[in-house]
Amino acid sequence: MKFFLSVIALASFQYVFCDDVERFYAWRNITFEDVKEGTYKPGDVIPTGVTHDAKTKKLYFGVPRRYSNIPYTLAEIDTRNYNRSEIRSPPFSKFNSQSGKEFTSIYQPVIDDCRRLWVLDVGQVDYKKHGNEYPTKNPEIIAFDLNQEGNPEVHRYKLEGDVARSPLGFGGFAVDVINPNGNCAKSDETYLYITNFIDNALIVYDMKNKNAWKFNDDSFKPEPGKSVFNHKGEQYSYIAGIFGITLGDRNKDGHRPAYYIAGSSTKVYSVNTASLKEKGASLKPRLLGERGFKTEAIALAYDPKTKVIFFVESDSRQVSAWNIQKELIPKNVGVIYTNAYFVFGTDIMVDADSTLWFMSNAHPPTELPKLDFDKRQIRLMYVPTHRAIRNLPCEVRKPK
Protein backbone atom coordinates (compact mmCIF):
# COMPACT_ATOMS: atom_id res chain seq x y z
CA MET A 1 0.00 0.00 0.00
CA LYS A 2 2.84 2.41 0.88
CA PHE A 3 4.50 1.68 -2.44
CA PHE A 4 1.24 2.37 -4.32
CA LEU A 5 0.76 5.70 -2.55
CA SER A 6 4.36 6.69 -3.31
CA VAL A 7 3.81 6.03 -7.01
CA ILE A 8 0.66 8.16 -6.97
CA ALA A 9 2.48 10.98 -5.17
CA LEU A 10 5.35 10.97 -7.66
CA ALA A 11 2.98 10.91 -10.62
CA SER A 12 1.08 13.90 -9.26
CA PHE A 13 4.18 16.06 -9.57
CA GLN A 14 4.38 15.23 -13.29
CA TYR A 15 8.14 15.14 -13.55
CA VAL A 16 11.04 12.88 -14.22
CA PHE A 17 14.59 13.94 -13.52
CA CYS A 18 17.48 14.16 -15.93
CA ASP A 19 19.92 11.25 -16.00
CA ASP A 20 22.59 13.31 -17.79
CA VAL A 21 23.74 15.10 -14.64
CA GLU A 22 27.27 14.02 -13.72
CA ARG A 23 29.35 14.37 -10.62
CA PHE A 24 32.44 16.44 -11.33
CA TYR A 25 34.16 16.26 -7.93
CA ALA A 26 33.22 15.22 -4.41
CA TRP A 27 34.96 15.70 -1.08
CA ARG A 28 34.58 14.33 2.42
CA ASN A 29 37.34 16.68 3.62
CA ILE A 30 39.02 19.38 1.55
CA THR A 31 42.78 19.89 1.63
CA PHE A 32 44.97 22.70 0.31
CA GLU A 33 48.03 22.54 -1.87
CA ASP A 34 51.25 23.92 -0.38
CA VAL A 35 49.79 24.19 3.12
CA LYS A 36 51.42 22.20 5.91
CA GLU A 37 49.34 19.35 7.26
CA GLY A 38 48.19 19.86 10.82
CA THR A 39 47.93 23.65 10.55
CA TYR A 40 44.21 23.41 9.76
CA LYS A 41 41.36 20.92 10.00
CA PRO A 42 40.23 19.72 6.55
CA GLY A 43 36.75 19.08 7.94
CA ASP A 44 36.41 22.80 8.70
CA VAL A 45 36.95 23.79 5.06
CA ILE A 46 33.39 24.27 3.81
CA PRO A 47 32.94 26.05 0.45
CA THR A 48 29.70 27.97 0.02
CA GLY A 49 29.98 29.46 -3.48
CA VAL A 50 31.41 28.30 -6.80
CA THR A 51 31.83 29.67 -10.32
CA HIS A 52 33.39 28.21 -13.46
CA ASP A 53 35.42 30.02 -16.10
CA ALA A 54 34.56 28.24 -19.35
CA LYS A 55 37.62 29.62 -21.14
CA THR A 56 40.34 28.38 -18.75
CA LYS A 57 38.34 25.49 -17.23
CA LYS A 58 39.08 26.81 -13.76
CA LEU A 59 36.76 26.59 -10.78
CA TYR A 60 36.73 29.33 -8.15
CA PHE A 61 35.38 28.75 -4.64
CA GLY A 62 34.38 30.96 -1.75
CA VAL A 63 35.54 29.33 1.50
CA PRO A 64 34.30 31.54 4.34
CA ARG A 65 36.04 31.49 7.67
CA ARG A 66 33.25 29.82 9.60
CA TYR A 67 35.95 28.16 11.72
CA SER A 68 39.47 29.17 12.69
CA ASN A 69 42.65 28.44 10.74
CA ILE A 70 41.19 28.40 7.24
CA PRO A 71 44.26 28.94 4.98
CA TYR A 72 42.50 30.57 1.99
CA THR A 73 39.04 32.09 1.75
CA LEU A 74 39.20 32.39 -2.07
CA ALA A 75 40.42 29.22 -3.75
CA GLU A 76 40.68 27.74 -7.22
CA ILE A 77 41.08 24.42 -9.03
CA ASP A 78 42.51 24.12 -12.53
CA THR A 79 40.39 21.19 -13.74
CA ARG A 80 42.85 20.48 -16.57
CA ASN A 81 45.32 19.28 -13.93
CA TYR A 82 42.88 16.87 -12.28
CA ASN A 83 41.17 14.24 -14.38
CA ARG A 84 37.91 13.72 -12.55
CA SER A 85 37.76 10.03 -13.47
CA GLU A 86 41.11 9.51 -11.73
CA ILE A 87 41.09 12.15 -8.97
CA ARG A 88 37.68 12.56 -7.40
CA SER A 89 38.71 14.97 -4.62
CA PRO A 90 41.47 17.35 -5.77
CA PRO A 91 43.05 19.83 -3.34
CA PHE A 92 42.26 23.54 -3.43
CA SER A 93 44.87 26.10 -4.44
CA LYS A 94 45.12 29.71 -3.36
CA PHE A 95 43.54 32.10 -5.86
CA ASN A 96 46.29 33.31 -8.18
CA SER A 97 46.34 37.10 -8.28
CA GLN A 98 48.92 39.85 -8.35
CA SER A 99 46.88 41.80 -5.82
CA GLY A 100 48.82 40.49 -2.84
CA LYS A 101 46.17 41.71 -0.40
CA GLU A 102 44.64 39.29 2.08
CA PHE A 103 40.93 38.67 2.46
CA THR A 104 39.04 38.17 5.69
CA SER A 105 36.12 35.99 4.57
CA ILE A 106 34.49 35.37 1.19
CA TYR A 107 31.31 33.41 0.54
CA GLN A 108 30.55 33.96 -3.14
CA PRO A 109 32.62 34.41 -6.34
CA VAL A 110 30.89 35.55 -9.56
CA ILE A 111 32.30 35.88 -13.10
CA ASP A 112 30.68 38.60 -15.22
CA ASP A 113 30.22 38.90 -18.99
CA CYS A 114 33.66 40.50 -19.33
CA ARG A 115 35.46 37.69 -17.44
CA ARG A 116 35.99 39.73 -14.31
CA LEU A 117 35.89 37.73 -11.09
CA TRP A 118 33.90 39.56 -8.42
CA VAL A 119 33.92 38.80 -4.69
CA LEU A 120 32.50 40.42 -1.59
CA ASP A 121 34.84 40.21 1.38
CA VAL A 122 32.42 40.49 4.31
CA GLY A 123 35.23 41.67 6.60
CA GLN A 124 34.32 39.43 9.55
CA VAL A 125 34.82 35.81 10.53
CA ASP A 126 31.85 33.65 11.43
CA TYR A 127 33.12 32.47 14.82
CA LYS A 128 34.35 33.92 18.08
CA LYS A 129 37.90 35.08 17.46
CA HIS A 130 40.83 34.37 19.74
CA GLY A 131 43.42 37.07 19.18
CA ASN A 132 43.97 38.82 15.85
CA GLU A 133 43.93 35.91 13.41
CA TYR A 134 42.17 37.90 10.69
CA PRO A 135 41.43 41.63 10.53
CA THR A 136 37.88 42.85 11.10
CA LYS A 137 37.07 45.55 8.57
CA ASN A 138 34.27 47.01 6.48
CA PRO A 139 32.92 44.79 3.71
CA GLU A 140 34.66 45.31 0.37
CA ILE A 141 33.62 44.63 -3.22
CA ILE A 142 36.61 43.48 -5.26
CA ALA A 143 37.07 42.58 -8.94
CA PHE A 144 39.90 40.77 -10.74
CA ASP A 145 40.50 40.61 -14.49
CA LEU A 146 40.76 36.98 -15.63
CA ASN A 147 41.73 38.13 -19.13
CA GLN A 148 45.11 39.40 -17.94
CA GLU A 149 48.03 37.29 -16.82
CA GLY A 150 48.19 37.13 -13.05
CA ASN A 151 44.50 38.06 -12.66
CA PRO A 152 45.23 41.62 -11.44
CA GLU A 153 42.86 43.43 -9.14
CA VAL A 154 41.00 46.04 -11.20
CA HIS A 155 38.44 47.42 -8.77
CA ARG A 156 37.81 47.73 -5.03
CA TYR A 157 35.11 49.53 -3.08
CA LYS A 158 34.48 49.68 0.67
CA LEU A 159 30.87 49.50 1.84
CA GLU A 160 30.08 51.92 4.66
CA GLY A 161 27.13 53.06 6.73
CA ASP A 162 23.69 51.54 6.32
CA VAL A 163 24.64 49.27 3.39
CA ALA A 164 27.37 47.65 5.50
CA ARG A 165 25.03 46.52 8.29
CA SER A 166 24.88 42.81 9.14
CA PRO A 167 27.82 41.76 6.92
CA LEU A 168 27.36 38.10 7.85
CA GLY A 169 23.91 38.33 6.26
CA PHE A 170 25.20 38.90 2.72
CA GLY A 171 23.92 36.14 0.46
CA GLY A 172 24.19 35.86 -3.29
CA PHE A 173 24.81 38.65 -5.77
CA ALA A 174 24.44 39.28 -9.49
CA VAL A 175 26.59 41.45 -11.78
CA ASP A 176 24.93 43.56 -14.49
CA VAL A 177 27.43 44.75 -17.12
CA ILE A 178 26.07 47.51 -19.37
CA ASN A 179 28.54 47.11 -22.22
CA PRO A 180 27.19 48.44 -25.53
CA ASN A 181 27.84 46.07 -28.44
CA GLY A 182 29.79 43.75 -26.16
CA ASN A 183 32.65 46.23 -25.75
CA CYS A 184 34.26 45.25 -22.45
CA ALA A 185 36.72 48.14 -22.74
CA LYS A 186 33.78 50.30 -21.61
CA SER A 187 32.56 47.96 -18.91
CA ASP A 188 32.83 50.46 -16.05
CA GLU A 189 29.06 50.90 -16.29
CA THR A 190 28.35 47.92 -14.09
CA TYR A 191 25.90 47.33 -11.26
CA LEU A 192 26.00 44.72 -8.51
CA TYR A 193 22.81 43.55 -6.79
CA ILE A 194 23.66 42.04 -3.40
CA THR A 195 21.18 40.31 -1.09
CA ASN A 196 21.18 40.40 2.71
CA PHE A 197 19.09 37.64 4.29
CA ILE A 198 19.38 39.04 7.84
CA ASP A 199 18.33 42.63 7.05
CA ASN A 200 15.86 41.50 4.34
CA ALA A 201 17.54 44.02 2.08
CA LEU A 202 18.92 44.40 -1.43
CA ILE A 203 22.07 46.50 -1.87
CA VAL A 204 22.89 48.05 -5.22
CA TYR A 205 26.43 49.09 -6.13
CA ASP A 206 27.09 51.48 -9.02
CA MET A 207 30.68 50.84 -10.15
CA LYS A 208 30.95 53.85 -12.47
CA ASN A 209 29.93 56.37 -9.82
CA LYS A 210 31.32 54.41 -6.86
CA ASN A 211 28.13 54.61 -4.87
CA ALA A 212 25.95 52.08 -3.04
CA TRP A 213 22.40 52.19 -1.68
CA LYS A 214 19.87 49.85 -0.09
CA PHE A 215 16.29 48.80 -0.75
CA ASN A 216 13.85 47.15 1.64
CA ASP A 217 10.57 45.55 0.61
CA ASP A 218 8.10 43.11 2.10
CA SER A 219 8.87 40.66 -0.72
CA PHE A 220 12.41 40.36 0.65
CA LYS A 221 11.15 38.90 3.94
CA PRO A 222 10.88 35.20 4.81
CA GLU A 223 7.46 33.63 4.74
CA PRO A 224 5.75 33.14 8.13
CA GLY A 225 7.10 30.14 10.00
CA LYS A 226 10.55 28.62 9.87
CA SER A 227 12.26 26.52 7.24
CA VAL A 228 13.47 23.10 8.30
CA PHE A 229 16.68 21.22 7.58
CA ASN A 230 16.47 17.47 8.20
CA HIS A 231 19.46 15.32 9.12
CA LYS A 232 19.58 11.81 10.62
CA GLY A 233 16.07 12.03 11.99
CA GLU A 234 16.54 15.47 13.55
CA GLN A 235 14.96 18.72 12.38
CA TYR A 236 16.79 22.04 12.54
CA SER A 237 14.77 25.24 12.05
CA TYR A 238 16.08 28.44 10.49
CA ILE A 239 14.78 31.72 9.06
CA ALA A 240 16.35 33.51 6.07
CA GLY A 241 15.15 36.47 4.03
CA ILE A 242 16.14 37.38 0.46
CA PHE A 243 19.08 35.17 -0.49
CA GLY A 244 19.37 34.25 -4.18
CA ILE A 245 19.23 36.60 -7.16
CA THR A 246 19.75 36.15 -10.91
CA LEU A 247 19.26 38.37 -13.98
CA GLY A 248 17.05 37.72 -17.00
CA ASP A 249 17.19 38.96 -20.57
CA ARG A 250 17.91 42.60 -21.37
CA ASN A 251 15.16 44.67 -22.99
CA LYS A 252 15.55 47.35 -25.68
CA ASP A 253 16.10 49.99 -22.98
CA GLY A 254 19.04 48.09 -21.50
CA HIS A 255 17.24 46.87 -18.38
CA ARG A 256 16.60 43.34 -17.13
CA PRO A 257 14.31 41.53 -14.72
CA ALA A 258 16.05 40.58 -11.49
CA TYR A 259 14.58 37.32 -10.19
CA TYR A 260 14.96 36.70 -6.47
CA ILE A 261 13.97 34.33 -3.69
CA ALA A 262 14.02 34.36 0.10
CA GLY A 263 15.75 31.44 1.79
CA SER A 264 12.61 30.67 3.81
CA SER A 265 10.07 30.85 1.00
CA THR A 266 8.78 28.96 -2.03
CA LYS A 267 7.77 32.15 -3.86
CA VAL A 268 9.65 33.77 -6.76
CA TYR A 269 9.60 37.52 -7.39
CA SER A 270 11.03 39.79 -10.06
CA VAL A 271 11.79 43.50 -10.21
CA ASN A 272 13.00 45.62 -13.13
CA THR A 273 16.62 46.70 -12.78
CA ALA A 274 15.59 50.14 -14.08
CA SER A 275 14.22 50.91 -10.62
CA LEU A 276 17.14 49.26 -8.81
CA LYS A 277 19.58 51.54 -10.62
CA GLU A 278 17.80 54.61 -9.28
CA LYS A 279 18.65 55.43 -5.67
CA GLY A 280 15.49 56.00 -3.64
CA ALA A 281 13.19 54.65 -6.35
CA SER A 282 9.87 53.07 -5.50
CA LEU A 283 10.14 49.35 -6.21
CA LYS A 284 7.27 47.48 -7.83
CA PRO A 285 8.13 43.79 -7.36
CA ARG A 286 6.05 41.22 -9.18
CA LEU A 287 5.06 37.91 -7.58
CA LEU A 288 5.60 35.31 -10.29
CA GLY A 289 4.21 32.34 -8.39
CA GLU A 290 5.18 29.48 -6.08
CA ARG A 291 7.30 26.42 -6.80
CA GLY A 292 5.59 23.96 -4.45
CA PHE A 293 5.78 22.33 -1.03
CA LYS A 294 9.24 22.01 0.56
CA THR A 295 11.02 23.70 -2.37
CA GLU A 296 12.86 26.35 -0.33
CA ALA A 297 16.17 27.36 -1.90
CA ILE A 298 18.95 29.87 -1.30
CA ALA A 299 20.35 30.08 -4.85
CA LEU A 300 19.03 30.24 -8.40
CA ALA A 301 20.51 30.75 -11.87
CA TYR A 302 19.05 31.81 -15.21
CA ASP A 303 20.06 30.34 -18.57
CA PRO A 304 19.30 32.70 -21.51
CA LYS A 305 19.70 29.85 -23.99
CA THR A 306 16.79 27.78 -22.66
CA LYS A 307 14.88 30.57 -20.83
CA VAL A 308 14.98 28.44 -17.69
CA ILE A 309 15.67 29.34 -14.06
CA PHE A 310 17.32 26.59 -12.00
CA PHE A 311 16.93 26.32 -8.22
CA VAL A 312 19.24 24.40 -5.88
CA GLU A 313 16.98 23.43 -3.01
CA SER A 314 17.86 23.48 0.67
CA ASP A 315 16.29 20.39 2.19
CA SER A 316 14.72 18.33 -0.61
CA ARG A 317 18.08 17.08 -1.94
CA GLN A 318 17.10 18.14 -5.44
CA VAL A 319 17.59 20.74 -8.15
CA SER A 320 14.49 22.04 -9.90
CA ALA A 321 13.80 24.14 -13.00
CA TRP A 322 11.12 26.47 -14.36
CA ASN A 323 10.78 28.06 -17.79
CA ILE A 324 9.98 31.78 -17.55
CA GLN A 325 7.71 31.43 -20.59
CA LYS A 326 5.29 29.36 -18.48
CA GLU A 327 3.13 30.14 -15.48
CA LEU A 328 4.97 29.46 -12.22
CA ILE A 329 2.92 26.72 -10.59
CA PRO A 330 4.13 23.37 -9.21
CA LYS A 331 3.11 21.31 -12.25
CA ASN A 332 5.35 23.49 -14.48
CA VAL A 333 8.41 22.92 -12.29
CA GLY A 334 10.64 20.02 -13.26
CA VAL A 335 13.23 18.21 -11.16
CA ILE A 336 16.51 17.78 -13.03
CA TYR A 337 18.40 16.05 -10.23
CA THR A 338 17.72 14.34 -6.92
CA ASN A 339 20.03 12.29 -4.75
CA ALA A 340 19.95 11.27 -1.10
CA TYR A 341 23.61 12.30 -0.71
CA PHE A 342 23.10 15.79 -2.18
CA VAL A 343 22.67 17.45 1.20
CA PHE A 344 21.89 21.17 1.34
CA GLY A 345 22.31 22.77 -2.07
CA THR A 346 24.35 25.91 -1.51
CA ASP A 347 25.12 27.37 -4.95
CA ILE A 348 24.22 27.09 -8.64
CA MET A 349 25.45 28.90 -11.77
CA VAL A 350 25.41 28.78 -15.58
CA ASP A 351 28.75 29.39 -17.27
CA ALA A 352 29.51 31.02 -20.65
CA ASP A 353 29.08 27.67 -22.42
CA SER A 354 25.57 27.20 -21.00
CA THR A 355 26.73 24.47 -18.66
CA LEU A 356 24.92 24.27 -15.33
CA TRP A 357 27.05 23.79 -12.20
CA PHE A 358 25.64 23.20 -8.73
CA MET A 359 27.08 22.29 -5.36
CA SER A 360 26.01 20.95 -1.98
CA ASN A 361 28.04 21.36 1.21
CA ALA A 362 25.72 19.89 3.89
CA HIS A 363 26.09 22.97 6.11
CA PRO A 364 23.23 25.50 6.11
CA PRO A 365 24.37 29.13 6.62
CA THR A 366 22.56 29.40 9.91
CA GLU A 367 23.37 28.98 13.59
CA LEU A 368 23.09 25.20 13.49
CA PRO A 369 25.54 22.83 15.15
CA LYS A 370 28.27 21.35 12.98
CA LEU A 371 26.78 18.14 11.62
CA ASP A 372 28.44 14.77 11.04
CA PHE A 373 28.15 12.85 7.78
CA ASP A 374 29.12 9.35 6.71
CA LYS A 375 29.58 10.02 3.00
CA ARG A 376 31.28 12.66 0.87
CA GLN A 377 29.06 15.61 1.72
CA ILE A 378 30.55 18.27 -0.58
CA ARG A 379 29.49 17.50 -4.14
CA LEU A 380 29.94 19.45 -7.37
CA MET A 381 27.70 18.43 -10.26
CA TYR A 382 27.38 19.64 -13.86
CA VAL A 383 25.24 19.20 -16.98
CA PRO A 384 24.61 21.16 -20.21
CA THR A 385 21.43 23.16 -19.71
CA HIS A 386 19.67 21.86 -22.83
CA ARG A 387 20.21 18.28 -21.67
CA ALA A 388 19.17 19.08 -18.10
CA ILE A 389 15.62 20.05 -19.11
CA ARG A 390 15.04 17.43 -21.78
CA ASN A 391 11.51 15.96 -21.59
CA LEU A 392 10.70 18.01 -18.49
CA PRO A 393 7.84 20.51 -18.00
CA CYS A 394 10.37 23.36 -18.24
CA GLU A 395 11.41 22.40 -21.79
CA VAL A 396 9.81 24.60 -24.46
CA ARG A 397 10.65 23.27 -27.90
CA LYS A 398 10.78 25.58 -30.88
CA PRO A 399 8.27 24.73 -33.61
CA LYS A 400 9.82 22.99 -36.61
Side-chain angles (χ1 to χ4, degrees):
M1 184 65 178
K2 287 183 178 179
F3 174 77
F4 178 77
L5 292 174
S6 297
V7 171
I8 294 296
L10 285 174
S12 68
F13 278 95
Q14 300 182 25
Y15 63 65
V16 293
F17 60 87
C18 171
D19 59 1
D20 290 324
V21 176
E22 295 185 56
R23 182 174 62 185
F24 203 86
Y25 295 132
W27 300 265
R28 181 176 177 83
N29 290 312
I30 289 175
T31 58
F32 289 93
E33 286 188 328
D34 303 323
V35 179
K36 185 179 179 181
E37 293 185 14
T39 60
Y40 67 98
K41 295 179 180 179
D44 289 346
V45 181
I46 303 171
T48 54
V50 63
T51 191
H52 179 254
D53 181 24
K55 183 174 182 178
T56 62
K57 310 303 179 187
K58 284 188 176 183
L59 292 161
Y60 298 95
F61 296 87
V63 187
R65 290 190 162 108
R66 301 183 67 178
Y67 302 97
S68 60
N69 300 318
I70 303 298
Y72 314 138
T73 186
L74 181 58
E76 66 179 52
I77 293 178
D78 189 336
T79 66
R80 296 169 298 185
N81 296 336
Y82 297 100
N83 187 317
R84 62 190 181 89
S85 62
E86 299 174 359
I87 302 176
R88 299 172 62 193
S89 308
F92 282 12
S93 299
K94 186 176 183 179
F95 170 61
N96 175 28
S97 174
Q98 295 174 341
S99 171
K101 297 180 181 179
E102 292 298 321
F103 311 113
T104 299
S105 190
I106 290 170
Y107 287 79
Q108 180 78 53
V110 174
I111 297 174
D112 71 13
D113 295 338
C114 293
R115 292 191 66 237
R116 292 176 298 190
L117 178 68
W118 293 84
V119 298
L120 173 59
D121 185 351
V122 301
Q124 294 185 21
V125 296
D126 202 1
Y127 64 93
K128 188 175 181 179
K129 289 199 303 180
H130 302 283
N132 297 315
E133 294 174 87
Y134 309 106
T136 297
K137 58 186 182 182
N138 278 58
E140 290 184 312
I141 296 168
I142 312 162
F144 304 90
D145 189 352
L146 301 182
N147 297 290
Q148 298 185 49
E149 185 177 353
N151 306 323
E153 179 182 315
V154 292
H155 190 77
R156 183 179 289 254
Y157 179 81
K158 181 169 66 174
L159 295 174
E160 297 180 298
D162 194 37
V163 297
R165 281 184 53 196
S166 307
L168 294 180
F170 288 125
F173 68 92
V175 183
D176 189 7
V177 183
I178 317 297
N179 53 334
N181 302 318
N183 184 3
C184 283
K186 299 180 180 180
S187 59
D188 60 331
E189 190 175 352
T190 296
Y191 294 85
L192 270 68
Y193 311 111
I194 307 165
T195 67
N196 191 302
F197 63 90
I198 292 177
D199 288 348
N200 304 322
L202 184 60
I203 290 92
V204 179
Y205 172 58
D206 177 354
M207 175 184 176
K208 185 175 182 179
N209 296 302
K210 294 182 174 58
N211 193 13
W213 54 89
K214 183 164 76 170
F215 288 102
N216 291 99
D217 189 84
D218 286 345
S219 65
F220 300 165
K221 296 178 181 179
E223 290 187 60
K226 296 182 178 181
S227 296
V228 173
F229 179 72
N230 290 274
H231 179 61
K232 292 187 176 181
E234 298 291 333
Q235 288 190 338
Y236 303 88
S237 298
Y238 65 93
I239 299 176
I242 182 172
F243 215 125
I245 187 167
T246 190
L247 302 178
D249 299 318
R250 200 177 304 279
N251 63 23
K252 59 182 178 60
D253 297 319
H255 307 302
R256 310 165 73 174
Y259 301 97
Y260 60 90
I261 53 177
S264 298
S265 175
T266 61
K267 293 182 172 70
V268 180
Y269 291 88
S270 72
V271 64
N272 195 310
T273 58
S275 56
L276 295 180
K277 295 171 189 173
E278 183 181 344
K279 185 176 181 179
S282 177
L283 298 186
K284 296 180 180 179
R286 178 185 171 202
L287 174 61
L288 302 177
E290 297 197 39
R291 305 189 305 281
F293 179 65
K294 283 186 67 66
T295 59
E296 290 96 333
I298 66 167
L300 72 170
Y302 176 69
D303 175 40
K305 184 177 181 180
T306 59
K307 309 302 180 188
V308 169
I309 296 178
F310 299 90
F311 307 86
V312 59
E313 297 181 5
S314 307
D315 189 47
S316 64
R317 290 166 167 76
Q318 67 186 26
V319 175
S320 56
W322 164 65
N323 195 301
I324 63 170
Q325 300 167 99
K326 291 188 173 185
E327 181 185 6
L328 179 52
I329 53 178
K331 75 174 185 178
N332 287 337
V333 177
V335 172
I336 71 162
Y337 177 76
T338 183
N339 190 295
Y341 298 121
F342 189 79
V343 182
F344 190 77
T346 183
D347 200 14
I348 191 165
M349 62 87 59
V350 177
D351 69 18
D353 287 341
S354 289
T355 298
L356 181 71
W357 298 80
F358 52 93
M359 180 175 70
S360 68
N361 72 2
H363 290 81
T366 56
E367 295 180 1
L368 301 185
K370 189 176 181 183
L371 307 176
D372 293 324
F373 297 87
D374 302 323
K375 301 289 184 179
R376 297 172 189 262
Q377 75 268 25
I378 301 172
R379 290 168 176 256
L380 179 64
M381 317 297 294
Y382 81 118
V383 61
T385 56
H386 72 279
R387 287 169 55 187
I389 65 171
R390 189 167 50 192
N391 299 321
L392 293 177
C394 48
E395 181 182 34
V396 175
R397 297 180 180 179
K398 296 179 180 180
K400 295 182 180 179

